[in-house]
Amino acid sequence: MQETKKGLEGIVALDTSISFIDGMQGILKYRGIDIEHLAEMSYETISYLLINGILPGEQELAAYSNRLKSERRINGEMIDIMRVCNYGTEALDSLRTAISCTAHMDHENDNNSLDANKNKAVRLIAKLPTMIAALYRCKSGDFPFQPDETLSHGANFLYMLRGEAPSAIEAEAIEKDFILSAEHELNPSTFALRIAASTLADVYSAIITGLCTLKGPLHGGARRGVMEMLDEVAVPENANNYVLYKLSRKEKIMGFGHRVYRTYDPRSRIFKDMAKRVAKENGDPTWYEVAESLEHVMYREFLDVRGRPIYPNVDFYSAVIYKYLRIPPELATSVFAIGRVSGWTAHCFEQYADNRVIRPRAHYI
């Protein structure tokens, strides 16, 4: 038997053409294109790229955008289901239920052809923002807002959440969040999803597998943890004592460290710059300054086993942006899923195209 690797660390499980990571150099590419370049595009462009493997031309993008907009609405039956969900739990639990119900309502659910699966992908990508906004509105005892087809993917989500159109910089921030969250190779939720897809489970079942895995506080749930930490620290002056107290108790500081990156996560650099810009427009830099203070203290006080600093990961400054965008903490993980669903569906298609059931072995002790 080969030597076991706890957590499968460093194990290469499969080939992919969807994304590339160099953890030592801090490089991330979708379909061979650097994330810094992709972050300046629209989410719809990135979604098309991930699913189809190439950047869309002007006509292709317009057609894809129109398809997404035409699929944004959810029906009254879905809203009725949302109203009976248990709102005392993380919103992602309710989203999981909503997607299961969507599968029942999809006439192509049992059709596993590529064309049918791409249709399902479009419906999922289009409806997730509407579902999450509707869940929040129902929880608040309000009626959900209908999607606005004149707004971009990100701006429309914030509109449905609040009932008012976001500012230009707010729309840019949430659009970047969706892009930077869209894909990241074999992260836990994507790997779990590919295992489900390898059994030839349908797309909806695979996506729900990804959602369940995303919920964990050591994966997508970390973003909510950072938001709660920012509230706990409250002001920059408290950052030093907060970090020292946590480290003295050997407790995790949320939003730091990554299994793959050994340098600054390239997504975090973009998020940090965006958070600074949003804070400036907001007129109150407190959340940004709290995060920056935490980052500085962590550099000074904590090194990894090789004596290197622990850098912020993708959740850290994205949580700062969520604070400024007034996204409730219980929605944080679900909002992450809005971006990630394009990458998830791309991985489903790649798994189906060259499938072998993923079935590793265990070392018996």
Side-chain angles (χ1 to χ4, degrees):
M1 237 10 192
Q2 292 182 338
E3 179 188 359
T4 58
K5 292 279 190 175
K6 193 171 184 179
L8 301 182
E9 184 166 358
I11 299 296
V12 176
L14 50 84
D15 295 329
T16 184
S17 63
I18 301 172
S19 65
F20 166 79
I21 302 171
D22 184 326
M24 298 305 294
Q25 299 297 319
I27 296 170
L28 171 62
K29 299 182 179 186
Y30 298 171
R31 302 289 190 183
I33 305 172
D34 289 323
I35 193 63
E36 292 81 2
H37 182 53
L38 297 172
E40 300 304 316
M41 301 180 187
S42 70
Y43 178 73
E44 291 169 343
T45 302
I46 304 312
S47 177
Y48 185 100
L49 168 70
L50 290 170
I51 290 172
N52 296 290
I54 57 172
L55 284 170
E58 188 175 332
Q59 290 184 339
E60 289 87 356
L61 180 59
Y64 184 67
S65 177
N66 287 335
R67 280 198 68 196
L68 288 175
K69 289 175 179 177
S70 71
E71 292 284 359
R72 283 177 177 174
R73 289 176 179 262
I74 56 177
N75 58 33
E77 289 85 352
M78 180 65 67
I79 292 172
D80 289 341
I81 289 165
M82 291 177 178
R83 292 193 189 282
V84 300
C85 286
N86 178 7
Y87 293 117
T89 63
E90 159 75 45
L92 191 134
D93 293 339
S94 301
L95 178 62
R96 196 172 58 200
T97 300
I99 292 176
S100 291
C101 294
T102 301
H104 285 292
M105 299 174 187
D106 192 327
H107 67 281
E108 292 185 296
N109 187 35
D110 294 327
N111 184 342
N112 208 34
S113 69
L114 181 58
D115 285 344
N117 284 335
K118 285 191 175 184
N119 291 337
K120 296 172 204 172
V122 167
R123 293 178 195 121
L124 281 163
I125 293 162
K127 293 184 191 305
L128 246 66
T130 312
M131 290 177 182
I132 294 165
L135 281 165
Y136 178 69
R137 298 285 300 171
C138 290
K139 175 183 177 180
S140 304
D142 298 318
F143 286 101
F145 290 107
Q146 293 296 335
D148 185 337
E149 293 189 6
T150 67
L151 296 175
S152 68
H153 200 71
N156 176 62
F157 170 67
L158 291 180
Y159 163 73
M160 291 188 295
L161 200 64
R162 305 171 179 176
E164 60 183 19
S167 68
I169 197 167
E170 288 177 326
E172 180 186 352
I174 195 67
E175 196 85 358
K176 275 186 167 54
D177 175 74
F178 293 165
I179 292 168
L180 298 173
S181 302
E183 163 59 11
H184 208 238
E185 199 217 55
L186 290 189
N187 56 82
S189 56
T190 301
F191 188 51
L193 171 146
R194 287 196 71 139
I195 293 171
S198 79
T199 70
L200 298 186
D202 64 273
V203 168
Y204 287 108
S205 296
I207 294 298
I208 292 167
T209 302
L211 278 173
C212 293
T213 312
L214 187 71
K215 182 183 176 183
L218 297 184
H219 189 20
R223 200 163 294 192
R224 176 176 183 167
V226 177
M227 294 179 76
E228 292 170 345
M229 177 176 69
L230 293 172
D231 283 331
E232 192 174 348
V233 177
V235 293
E237 293 76 19
N238 293 340
N240 186 71
N241 289 341
Y242 178 89
V243 171
L244 293 178
Y245 175 75
K246 286 285 189 179
L247 294 180
S248 71
R249 295 168 61 88
K250 301 189 185 307
E251 295 179 5
K252 184 175 177 61
I253 309 292
M254 299 304 292
F256 284 86
H258 196 276
R259 176 67 69 84
V260 178
Y261 292 112
R262 296 295 177 262
T263 185
Y264 218 100
D265 183 332
R267 300 169 299 173
S268 296
R269 293 188 187 278
I270 300 168
F271 270 131
K272 183 175 183 178
D273 177 69
M274 194 72 238
K276 187 174 184 178
R277 291 172 55 204
V278 173
K280 183 177 180 180
E281 185 192 69
N282 183 270
D284 180 1
T286 301
W287 298 125
Y288 178 80
E289 290 177 352
V290 167
E292 198 168 43
S293 297
L294 286 166
E295 182 181 1
H296 290 160
V297 177
M298 282 292 287
Y299 287 163
R300 188 188 72 220
E301 297 293 337
F302 193 80
L303 302 176
D304 68 11
V305 293
R306 297 182 182 179
R308 298 174 301 201
I310 301 292
Y311 296 97
N313 58 38
V314 69
D315 298 303
F316 191 66
Y317 281 103
S318 61
V320 177
I321 291 172
Y322 283 17
K323 295 289 287 181
Y324 282 115
L325 296 182
R326 306 192 306 278
I327 292 173
E330 66 269 22
L331 294 187
T333 315
S334 298
V335 176
F336 193 141
I338 292 175
R340 183 55 58 86
V341 70
S342 291
W344 279 343
T345 51
H347 276 277
C348 280
F349 303 157
E350 189 174 71
Q351 186 65 43
Y352 291 148
D354 185 25
N355 190 53
R356 183 172 173 80
V357 174
I358 297 174
R359 202 293 189 193
R361 295 294 311 280
H363 179 216
Y364 175 72
I365 53 174

